[in-house]
Amino acid sequence: MADHEPPQGNQPKKGFKLNVNDALTADPGKEGLFKIEKNPFAYTPGHLAKLLNPKSLDAFYALGGLAGLEKGLQTNRDTGLSADEKNVPGTVSFKDVAPQGTPQYGQHGDKEPFASGRHDASIPEPLPLDHKAGSSYADRRRVYRENRLPEKKSKTLLQLAWTTYNDKVLILLTIAAIVSLGLGLYQTFGVKHEPGQPKVEWVEGVAIMVAIIIVVLVGTLNDWQMERQFNQLNKKHNDRTVKVIRSGKSVEISVFDVMVGDVMHLFAGDLIPVDGIFINGHGVKCDESSATGESDLLKKTSADEVFAALKDVADGKPPREDIHKLDPFIISGSKVNEGTGTFLVTAVGVYSSYGQISMAMQTEQEDTPLQKKLNTLADWIAKFGGGAALILFIVLFIKFCVQLPHNHDSADQKGQTFLRLFITSVTVVVVAVPEGLPLAVTLALAFATTRMMKDNNLVRVLKACETMGNATTVCSDKTGTLTQNKMTVVATTLGKSLSFGGTDKPLEEPDSEKEKNSTEVEMENIVPNMPVADFTKELSQTTKKLLNQANAVNSTAFEGDEDGEKTFIGSKTEVALLTFCRDNLGAAPVEEERKNADVVQVVPFDSKYKLMATVVKLPNGKFRTYVKGASEILLKQCNTVIANPNEDELSTVELTDADRKMFLHTISSYAGQTLRTIGSSYRDFDSWPPPELEGLEELTAAKFDKVHKDMTLVAIFGIKDPLRPQVIDAIKDCNRAGVFVRMVTGDNILTGKAIAKECGIYKPEEGGIAMEGPDFRKLSEDKLKEVVPHLQVLARSSPEDKRILVHTLKELGETVAVTGDGTNDAPALKMADIGFAMGIAGTEVAKEAASIILMDDNFASIVKGISWGRAVNDAVKKFLQFQLTVNITAVALTFISAVSSDEEKSVLNAVQLLWVNLIMDTFAALALATDPPSHTVLDRKPDRKSAPLITTRMWKTIIGQAVAQLAITLCLYFGAHSLLGYNMSDATEAKRHSTFVFNTFVWLQIFNELNNRRLDNRLNIFEGITRNYFFWIINAIMIGGQILIIFVGGEAFKITRLNGKEWGMSIGLGAISIPWGALIRKFPDRWAEAIVPRKKIPIPKIPKPKIFKRKQNEETDPEKQASAKDRPPPPPGRVHTGLRGQRARVHSSRLGKSWT
């Protein structure tokens, strides 16, 4: 890569080097772009793509400049393509157009590059040789494609329903429902019932099916609605006309008909639809902030001028001083702010930089960490339930066989007995399946999404809520995300007596002792500093008029409307100065200021002299020259400085050597804080033109230099793209929550490091690394895994670099969130586990790629997203903790009571289990899924992808509560006579006893639900309960339902009414759950871990530099570190985690194969 970056920090300025040997090397994964069969042109799409990945003067020279491109693409810069072209007449080879000795494929020499292990989703399949044969521009369409992107097919309702249903827990529920319904129907219609006994055995199977249908319907309709909105977003009318030159004439054509080789016109305000090389024009400046992240307007230089400068370097001549700033590249997705011109189209459609980004967005989403863990849980429950059922069946079958010699029933009765024990065994499977789990996840996500909208988070893909809670790293764009993408005057030094802002410490510390000492000396002679409001109050009307007029006449920006707001349009520096004058100095509209000033002559801006000037005639007949430009250049030409800015009459004082040193220190201090400094000065003349400039028709900066002396310094302005107000606190919150923030920007590395330091991202003292994109993407996979954990700033990054970063982080087991607003952020937004796009400043492409849109463009809203994400994950875990306690207890009760019973009957009959296992679960899901995030939710580290879904602490609670519930229920069941004094030979007493056991069991669940509001070991289970009205209402319904069942359930539940004493004992025994829960919390976790035998899984360690001090206690996931070829095929099913949009997903390999 050519070394043509500007000098950084205190490094000596390096010479520009031209490197054509590496200029056309294929990036890993993009080798396919260099392979085109029977190519009549000199270049493949891969060659042309190297111009902009990132902008490469090396590649521009290696392709032969504009003359080479013109010949190689068989076009003409003056007449454009022929309007009658179908097939090109001949073939042009690479050697015919490239400078002598240039290797055709970079480091691969002249041999086609072989495919690397990486696959890039943005590379389309090659077209057949007869593609659109005979149509206009057939060869161009085949080799370089059309300026269209392939449309994604939307899914039908049935397809969406099938995708929603294709979920392991739902499939497991279906099997349970079919078995339950089949056996229920047999029991209802095939078994004799006693008089008055309700035939309700089929209800449970139907109820489970209804639960499945509700979840699938809700999920499908939600997905359908999201897909429809998404399609409407995509169908925005993109077809527009552009002007190109065909056969020597300017013609308007559809943007879809633009071809590689076309010569296209550029006009101010145009949104550029394709990539190209600037031919020539007048004052063309482009805003590329949405395409590359570069916040400055970029002036375009004609391709021939750039090639001539590069040819001089190749011939051994010294490079031009401004060679780093030469920019002939036109990027799709950028906007023309000023000027007119023409450019040669080099890439369209899927091969343009905009198209590559859009194609990369179409990669499929993989399952979320929670989905993968719930997949594993579904497997585990199926095995546990099936195992328990099999053991119970074997025990009961042995018992049945042993009793056979003494069994004098008829064959039919023996068959019924055998079937009853089979049904009892199957009941265990049904009891073990958590029917409420899909509903709990769905409700938690739906509730969180609705509430997040109030926090300015618009959730487009619901699974994003759940994933966000455990994000371990946030890769943030700089321009527009951390900063405001609005250049602003943040510091000003006016004369020697007034200043505001610019008091921060320089972000780069001085290297030498001499510099440090000089800084200390100069600091003694600093201008008094005050807030901007006080600063403006101190200025007289005369001074304000001077500043307003100086900035208005020395500017080409104008007032206009943008997004319905009055603003200035033009150079971002000029816009910043004019906005400062309007907002703080009471300036009139800029056109009015210019009309009021009698402008005599204008000196246009010259990049060599770094200034512009305007001469105005004053009311007293004299002439005043206002100069604006680089502050250190203006300071050299000043010998006086404005005296008292608060006096009505303008006065000046001599600029002493001490003053000059002090102003130089101010300039270097501003620069150290990454402020762009602009100086303002003036000089009064008795007549104009002065004798030195007599007879000149046009005044240039070079000629103006003759009178650019004896000036009066007015002010030094410090301008920057400021941070968003809440960014620093938001990043502190992220650090507190264990979320590692990285900055990824298209800006240069010096600016990137400075902004990252200012907002607390870049910490080199802790081993943090800052890198540039071209260096980053050349690292091997092993080196990437070594560097990425410590990477804090990635500068000059291309979309591909961002994708590599996100991919590597995911390989390392990180849960990655990406924020951004520009088109260049879209691939990373799509590939990340969670993508945040800006709602106000975000481009359409970014919004389409993101899963959450920040409606207020505020980085701080991400912290709220993390809080809600953690609330969702906590809701699922709380429900699981509650559900598994119920399930384990119910399975154990069924097992024990069936084995001990003469009739193989369970403690709880089928209808009672239906209430406990289905209705209670649904209500508990509602109650526990609606808890808002607590204040302490950010005080803990995120869960790694490899972390178990059910932690040791949760197991401790589940087993502890299950033991208590089993002990109480079994004591009541077996101690009916000895403990409670029930006469079990009396049918009424026996029914009262079974009702008492059922009632106590339900109250144990109600009180245990309160316990499950906390997942940690703190004792306050009532924290935040007053903020959750749902919890109160749902519990009131559950308690009311239980009271109604006991009083009026009668025959349906096979129960009878209880007296006051039995009610008191039921509630009292149920309440034991709460103090018992407190004891369980006080039982140390490490003791619980020691009790449970653990199987250690060896995890490969990634070598890390010793200098990095960041604590990484969490284990990385071994399977994520396996190479793609070693991964098992994707699973057929996936877990339902809510109402998810765009379910067209390829299911990647599952992480959690072992579940602890």
Side-chain angles (χ1 to χ4, degrees), residues 370 437 440-441 444-445 448 465-470 866-882 924-925 927-943 949 951 954 1012-1016:
L370 184 62
L437 183 58
V441 181
L445 286 168
C465 297
E466 155 228 317
T467 316
M468 192 59 220
N470 287 325
I866 293 172
S867 297
W868 275 106
R870 292 191 176 184
V872 169
N873 280 295
D874 285 355
V876 174
K877 287 188 171 185
K878 286 173 188 176
F879 176 77
L880 264 177
Q881 192 170 277
F882 175 78
L928 295 170
T930 51
D931 263 345
S934 65
H935 305 297
T936 56
V937 79
L938 292 176
D939 290 339
R940 66 173 196 253
K941 303 297 178 196
D943 291 339
L949 179 62
T951 61
M954 288 169 69
N1012 286 296
R1013 291 191 70 252
R1014 281 212 93 98
L1015 289 169
D1016 54 27

Side-chain angles (χ1 to χ4, degrees), residues 473-548:
T473 181
V474 176
C475 298
S476 175
D477 180 37
K478 174 182 77 71
T479 309
T481 307
L482 295 170
T483 66
Q484 297 175 21
N485 195 17
K486 189 163 63 179
M487 295 302 268
T488 308
V489 176
V490 295
T492 300
T493 298
L494 185 65
K496 296 196 293 181
S497 52
L498 284 178
S499 71
F500 75 85
T503 54
D504 297 336
K505 284 184 180 178
L507 292 159
E508 295 293 333
E509 294 298 325
D511 285 339
S512 65
E513 283 298 318
K514 186 178 176 184
E515 280 181 53
K516 289 178 184 175
N517 294 337
S518 67
T519 302
E520 286 166 14
V521 170
E522 287 161 359
M523 285 298 283
E524 293 171 9
N525 191 14
I526 204 77
V527 177
N529 198 276
M530 60 191 69
V532 65
D534 296 341
F535 173 87
T536 52
K537 284 178 189 171
E538 290 288 322
L539 303 181
S540 66
Q541 284 303 315
T542 307
T543 308
K544 286 181 181 178
K545 186 179 177 183
L546 176 78
L547 288 168
N548 288 337

Side-chain angles (χ1 to χ4, degrees), residues 997-1033:
V997 174
F998 166 63
N999 196 31
T1000 306
F1001 186 77
V1002 169
W1003 280 100
L1004 278 164
Q1005 309 319 318
I1006 291 170
F1007 282 106
N1008 190 36
E1009 188 200 2
L1010 281 168
N1011 268 322
N1012 286 296
R1013 291 191 70 252
R1014 281 212 93 98
L1015 289 169
D1016 54 27
N1017 281 336
R1018 294 178 188 171
L1019 296 179
N1020 184 8
I1021 57 174
F1022 300 103
E1023 184 185 340
I1025 201 167
T1026 53
R1027 293 187 292 135
N1028 188 357
Y1029 299 113
F1030 284 102
F1031 191 86
W1032 290 104
I1033 294 163

